[in-house]
Amino acid sequence: MQSLTAIRTRVEDRVLFATLDHPPLNLIGPELARDLVSIVRHLESAPDEIRVVVFDSAVPRYFSAHLDVTRIKELNAELARLAPGTTTADLYSRISGLSQVSIAVIAGHVGGAGSEFALACDMRFASRERAVFTQMEVGVGLLAGAGAIQHLTRLMGRSRALEVLLSADDHTADLAERYGWVNRALPDADLWPFVDALARRIAKFPLEGITQTRRRVNRIALPEASAVNEDLRIFARLLKLPETRARIAALLAAGMQTDSALEAAFGAAVGQLESAHAGDAPSPAATP
């Protein structure tokens, strides 16, 4: 595997432990994209060596806050290493389609494209005390473009998915568990021992049984890649609207993408934004 800079890895008992370590927020930007592309390529070429991959975070308070809205061109350049024109939605679809079981361990804030990364994994387990979930896109005039609409509607049902997406608010781990956003919310002290034991247990089983079971479940439950990319095309169109640009500019000026009070309560922050029209907002970057 190519040398990684934003994700720390180790392999034990056919489990790849991949720890996001790109402070302060583990933003979905070029660094994480570069490492995720390398991990996906490695896993696609070595299915028998590794049977489970577990993603967690070394960054205090954050699993992955959201997309890095200031570096989308650089992000796209890293994604193109998978194939020309690859999008975040395509990368996440590749994670969902791996032969290996994928598990996200969430013990902090996760939102936007970071939440969509976790949703692309097969399973999600959350710290009851520390995990916070946000799909904030509607609050800035966007929609969730990399899978959340597709996944949350399947996981929660129509009404709860609309509540989560349209409120653009912060949600606790207990609510996320009740709604189906995560498999389980566990006390913080129990979270890692539970996931570690589950991952190692699954990794002991014959690969073909794991692969075929995932393939059959995914055929029922996963969205078509074309549906997710249609969401992303709408995201790109909305990103060009003046009010969307003005809202993003206001959030950046107030501390977005820093370890700030705004990022710690993103849902509250977007709820306080006033309606505005951009006259001098920065031009949006290319499609993520």
Side-chain angles (χ1 to χ4, degrees):
M1 189 169 10
Q2 179 179 327
S3 178
L4 307 180
T5 60
I7 300 178
R8 294 190 278 108
T9 62
R10 73 182 195 280
V11 177
E12 296 177 8
D13 298 331
R14 293 184 172 173
V15 179
L16 172 65
F17 296 94
T19 299
L20 311 187
D21 192 6
H22 188 56
L25 305 175
N26 281 337
L27 293 176
I28 301 297
E31 292 84 6
L32 274 182
R34 181 185 311 124
D35 286 1
L36 286 172
V37 166
S38 295
I39 288 171
V40 166
R41 281 179 161 172
H42 177 69
L43 292 174
E44 288 176 341
S45 66
D48 193 46
E49 173 192 343
I50 298 166
R51 299 195 177 172
V52 180
V53 55
V54 177
F55 294 102
D56 71 331
S57 170
V59 174
R61 300 199 302 149
Y62 293 93
F63 177 83
S64 177
H66 50 74
L67 180 74
D68 187 339
V69 299
T70 66
R71 302 177 69 196
I72 295 177
K73 259 186 194 176
E74 295 169 73
L75 168 66
N76 287 341
E78 294 299 336
L79 294 171
R81 291 173 49 231
L82 271 179
T86 295
T87 65
T88 48
D90 294 326
L91 173 62
Y92 294 166
S93 291
R94 293 278 282 270
I95 292 171
S96 297
L98 289 169
S99 297
Q100 295 83 4
V101 176
S102 54
I103 300 173
V105 183
I106 302 163
H109 291 257
V110 62
S115 168
E116 290 172 308
F117 165 45
L119 285 165
C121 294
D122 296 327
M123 294 175 253
R124 289 156 299 286
F125 298 93
S127 163
R128 180 162 283 127
E129 296 91 339
R130 292 193 286 155
V132 179
F133 298 79
T134 315
Q135 291 295 159
M136 71 287 285
E137 291 88 350
V138 168
V140 295
L142 296 166
L143 58 63
I149 290 174
Q150 305 293 328
H151 290 298
L152 292 179
T153 303
R154 287 166 169 78
L155 291 167
M156 299 180 178
R158 174 176 175 269
S159 298
R160 284 177 167 176
L162 285 170
E163 176 193 346
V164 163
L165 294 163
L166 295 180
S167 71
D169 209 348
D170 302 313
H171 302 284
T172 65
D174 284 336
L175 184 135
E177 179 188 52
R178 191 159 69 248
Y179 276 21
W181 203 328
V182 298
N183 293 62
R184 303 190 194 195
L186 296 161
D188 199 62
D190 298 337
L191 176 62
W192 187 254
F194 175 86
V195 173
D196 184 69
L198 176 63
R200 292 174 194 266
R201 175 183 173 86
I202 293 171
K204 291 178 182 177
F205 299 149
L207 179 62
E208 192 63 15
I210 295 170
T211 301
Q212 292 302 328
T213 298
R214 289 186 66 258
R215 184 171 297 156
R216 296 302 295 167
V217 170
N218 286 347
R219 187 169 180 179
I220 297 167
L222 282 184
E224 294 290 334
S226 59
V228 184
N229 273 308
E230 177 62 21
D231 293 343
L232 195 58
R233 284 190 287 273
I234 297 170
F235 176 98
R237 177 171 59 79
L238 295 177
L239 191 59
K240 298 175 183 177
L241 297 181
E243 185 165 5
T244 301
R245 292 163 55 196
R247 283 172 173 257
I248 291 172
L251 289 168
L252 287 168
M256 176 180 166
Q257 305 208 162
T258 65
D259 189 4
S260 62
L262 183 152
E263 287 286 0
F266 208 110
V270 297
Q272 293 166 3
L273 285 172
E274 297 296 331
S275 183
H277 293 281
D280 57 355
S283 298
T287 306

